[in-house]
Amino acid sequence: MTSTRRTPDWWRDAVVYQVYPRSFADSDGDGMGDIPGLISRLDYLEDLGVDAIWISPYYTSPLHDGGYDVADYRSIDARLGTMDDVDRLIEQAHARGIGVIMDVVPNHTSSEHPWFVEALTTEPGSLQWDRYIVREGSGPDRETPPNNWRSVFHGSGWSHVRDAAGDPTGYWYLHLFDTTQPDLNWENPEVRAEFRDILRFWFDRGIDGFRIDVAHGLVKEEGLPDYAYPSDDDEPMQPEMFDFGDVAHAPFWDQDGVHDIYREWRAVADEYDPPRVFCGETWVPNPERLARYQRPDELHTSFNFAYLEAGWDAGRMRASIDDTIAQHAKVGAPPTWVLSNHDVIRHRTRMAPGFDNQHRLTCVVDEERGLRRARAATLFTMALPGSLYLYQGEELGLPEVRDLDAEVRQDPAWHRSGGTDGTRDGCRVPIPWSGQEPSYGFGPGAASWLPQPAAWADLSVEREQADPASTLAMYRAALRIRRAAAALGEGPLTWLDVDGDALAFQRAAADGSTVTCVLNLSESTLRLPTAWGSEVLLGSTDDVAVLATDDGAEELVLGSETALWITSAS
Ligand code: GLC
């Protein structure tokens, strides 16, 4: 059941496309995307040129956190499809040479998971409660949470365990996310055995691997000590992870014990032929900590959020690239690169002049330059060595939708923060496929679980397929070249000296061919040295001129905020 392009090492330079299933394609018109909808769009993904898809969760779930609250890890939510649909998806993706990566959520279950439901019928101290993290409260009436840990989604990280009458018992359960996402106790061997079994259940059905949700969070420091938060405020989502600053190591993230779990998981993945693969969602403080997850007997890859955080800044981008490559080389793992996903502001908006994360919904941004920068940053990123993650809709140049009404917002952190944070719905608005009216071909009718902006008629797949200058056309061309050029994919990278606010590197293949990639971040044009050649493979805009120099050579002049790939034949 494996696909045609799968060699055991396929993941080392794979282009993986993230599908957020509720928002990708809706087959039945209920306004929510589903697996049959995804199957109907596999030709599009094949044409785009991706090697694999990673699909955010579609398990049975109350959808309090978009499916990252799993009630049953072995069944499919009826709103998203059936087990037969998943079997068809695997088969049809593989028939097109596309691998299938599912999402596993091991840090917490839904409060509707049978384990939690059962625990609620027992006393704390029971075997059932030992699957979760439950502690006695402090203070005279045990009315105060056991420690000061906060939820990533705001407020306390602890909620009362209540008795059948709804009264507090004096015990509390930990939830680093929503109250409906109780954290599992990974010290309990039953939890470990259950997840190894879940991995096998899906590997046996033929999937190629798993993305691991909150991979850095499973193990908590012994004794659950208080954390010295960088600020007393109930600050936006997990600043200690997003800033990568000089803050104390949190007792609930990136604990050494988590690596033992991934050694166990790697052994499971290696039982298969070809071996199954993992990609960790690891928000850690720096590339050195990140690379530890990629030691040879652990995860194959992990997301590199430091690069995503580097933004539109030559110095930070270069430092992050160098650090990432150096640290991954030490463990023999390929780096990965990502600019957008279902949790962050889409990079077209994030990189736009005027964007201010503190006022991310209200700041005035230059959308057109945001698109220009996003295309340039993407083309640059696509030439880096290693594997690449794309998020659905970025290939259309979709912006973040920032003006969603509070009533339609579903991000639990929006509600827990009183509307000051939890803005993740804006990157989850359903994809425009075709036509002039909502849902723009997302489903058969007008329904979509989040409203789509009117301007998205111009950003539909149908429109962009017909336009050779579209963002979609650039992505397709870039992925085609990336697959064909021997110098792209894994391998060395050499920085080239370049003047001004710009970055340039060269990739060389064993056959002597090279690809030079230049990113001009400035607002002025950039003249490239004649020695770099003049054979343009692809530009992020058509703002590239070939000029004859006085001595008869050809010189390339690159427009502002533009990236370029240049080749020299072998
Ligand atoms: C991860 C997911 C995010 C989810 C959280 C809790 O960060 O990407 O969407 O809300 O975990 O499961």
Side-chain angles (χ1 to χ4, degrees), residues 200-277:
R200 288 197 179 94
F201 177 87
W202 291 105
F203 289 159
D204 288 345
R205 291 196 99 87
I207 67 162
D208 300 273
F210 273 112
R211 174 261 190 191
I212 306 166
D213 190 62
V214 197
H216 55 296
L218 277 46
V219 172
K220 279 73 180 177
E221 190 176 325
E222 178 92 51
L224 312 186
D226 276 354
Y227 177 45
Y229 283 92
S231 148
D232 286 342
D233 303 339
D234 179 25
E235 285 211 334
M237 201 166 146
Q238 31 193 354
E240 63 275 22
M241 296 185 296
F242 279 71
D243 287 345
F244 295 90
D246 184 20
V247 295
H249 194 145
F252 38 84
W253 301 138
D254 193 28
Q255 299 294 306
D256 287 345
V258 86
H259 295 280
D260 296 338
I261 297 170
Y262 299 130
R263 291 194 185 96
E264 286 175 21
W265 285 26
R266 179 63 177 254
V268 174
D270 285 347
E271 288 165 11
Y272 289 80
D273 181 23
R276 306 316 197 223
V277 301

Side-chain angles (χ1 to χ4, degrees), residues 90-207:
I90 297 168
E91 193 186 312
Q92 297 204 18
H94 284 173
R96 291 168 175 79
I98 297 174
V100 176
I101 296 175
M102 279 176 53
D103 207 320
V104 66
V105 188
N107 182 65
H108 43 264
T109 68
S110 160
S111 53
E112 294 186 18
H113 188 284
W115 275 4
F116 196 77
V117 173
E118 197 189 345
L120 286 171
T121 67
T122 69
E123 299 288 321
S126 66
L127 287 175
Q128 286 82 354
W129 268 120
D130 192 50
R131 295 162 175 158
Y132 293 94
I133 300 182
V134 179
R135 295 287 184 280
E136 234 176 319
S138 57
D141 297 322
R142 301 181 295 176
E143 261 300 299
T144 310
N147 68 22
N148 73 342
W149 294 2
R150 300 177 192 158
S151 159
V152 170
F153 292 165
H154 294 265
S156 173
W158 296 89
S159 284
H160 286 289
V161 173
R162 294 180 184 276
D163 62 20
D167 295 323
T169 57
Y171 286 85
W172 300 71
Y173 68 89
L174 178 69
H175 52 86
L176 289 178
F177 295 89
D178 190 49
T179 52
T180 60
Q181 293 167 297
D183 278 54
L184 285 162
N185 171 19
W186 276 86
E187 304 299 324
N188 182 332
E190 191 190 356
V191 171
R192 294 192 181 224
E194 170 67 358
F195 273 86
R196 287 195 303 269
D197 197 63
I198 291 167
L199 298 180
R200 288 197 179 94
F201 177 87
W202 291 105
F203 289 159
D204 288 345
R205 291 196 99 87
I207 67 162

Side-chain angles (χ1 to χ4, degrees), residues 70-86:
V70 181
D72 180 354
Y73 292 84
R74 296 181 185 80
S75 76
I76 310 302
D77 195 283
R79 289 162 289 189
L80 278 83
T82 63
M83 198 58 103
D84 281 349
D85 293 334
V86 173

Side-chain angles (χ1 to χ4, degrees), residues 17 24 40-49 375 395-397 431-435 456-476 480:
Y17 182 98
F24 191 63
S40 75
R41 298 294 183 181
L42 285 172
D43 286 344
Y44 168 76
L45 296 174
E46 181 181 9
D47 210 34
L48 181 60
R375 287 173 59 142
E395 77 278 18
L396 305 174
I431 296 296
W433 290 93
S434 59
W456 282 23
D458 289 339
L459 292 171
S460 73
V461 170
E462 183 183 50
R463 285 290 289 272
E464 296 205 19
Q465 274 173 339
D467 176 5
S470 68
T471 306
L472 178 58
M474 184 199 88
Y475 270 71
R476 276 197 182 142
R480 226 178 0 258

